[in-house]
Amino acid sequence: MRVRGVSARTRAAIRRVEDQEMWPNAVAKALSRLEWAFQQPGRYLNASETPSPGLEVEDARDDLELALRLLPLGARRDLGRLIKRIDEEYERRTLPEPNNTEWAVFGWWWTRARER
């Protein structure tokens, strides 16, 4: 899988991070999972009836955050531009969930509610 929308240099840096610290295609798969979720109809993102740890869109965002922390600065900025757009769409399609504030230590995206 190929990460679209970033430079060849960033793709090479992502591959190095995946080889050394993550798993093959971790970033592309996370981006794909979020892209799929955003293509679903409706104003708000749907939540699973039964949560699937590791397969939720929040888990995909966790994977992207890990990659950002591990990438060198230039690649972090390049990938960060894609993630900024993802974050804006995620925030637009979810609602604040005040009962999940303890989850903020894992990432602000865990404090948002999806529609059930």
Side-chain angles (χ1 to χ4, degrees):
M1 294 183 86
R2 183 175 176 181
V3 176
R4 295 182 318 268
V6 297
S7 70
R9 180 175 278 175
T10 297
R11 282 192 299 276
I14 289 169
R15 277 192 305 275
R16 278 191 301 278
V17 164
E18 289 172 337
D19 289 345
Q20 296 170 1
E21 305 287 340
M22 297 178 80
W23 49 92
N25 297 311
V27 172
K29 286 178 183 175
L31 290 169
S32 176
R33 203 168 346 150
L34 286 156
E35 184 178 298
W36 177 85
F38 294 153
Q39 290 174 355
Q40 301 310 304
R43 163 68 170 91
Y44 297 106
L45 293 179
N46 286 330
S48 307
E49 288 299 319
T50 52
S52 303
L55 298 177
E56 301 291 338
V57 292
E58 294 85 1
D59 296 308
R61 184 56 182 84
D62 285 347
D63 295 343
L64 295 176
E65 189 67 19
L66 175 60
L68 281 176
R69 283 196 310 258
L70 297 170
L71 285 169
L73 185 58
R76 186 180 316 142
R77 280 191 198 123
D78 195 12
L79 181 61
R81 284 192 291 276
L82 282 181
I83 294 173
K84 182 177 188 261
R85 291 194 304 264
I86 287 168
D87 287 349
E88 289 168 352
E89 181 68 5
Y90 186 82
E91 191 168 19
R92 187 182 76 76
R93 295 191 62 186
T94 58
L95 297 169
E97 176 54 75
N99 296 325
N100 286 355
T101 55
E102 70 277 1
W103 287 87
V105 297
F106 300 109
W108 66 266
W109 47 94
W110 286 100
T111 67
R112 306 288 295 178
R114 292 185 280 146
E115 193 172 65
R116 288 207 180 265

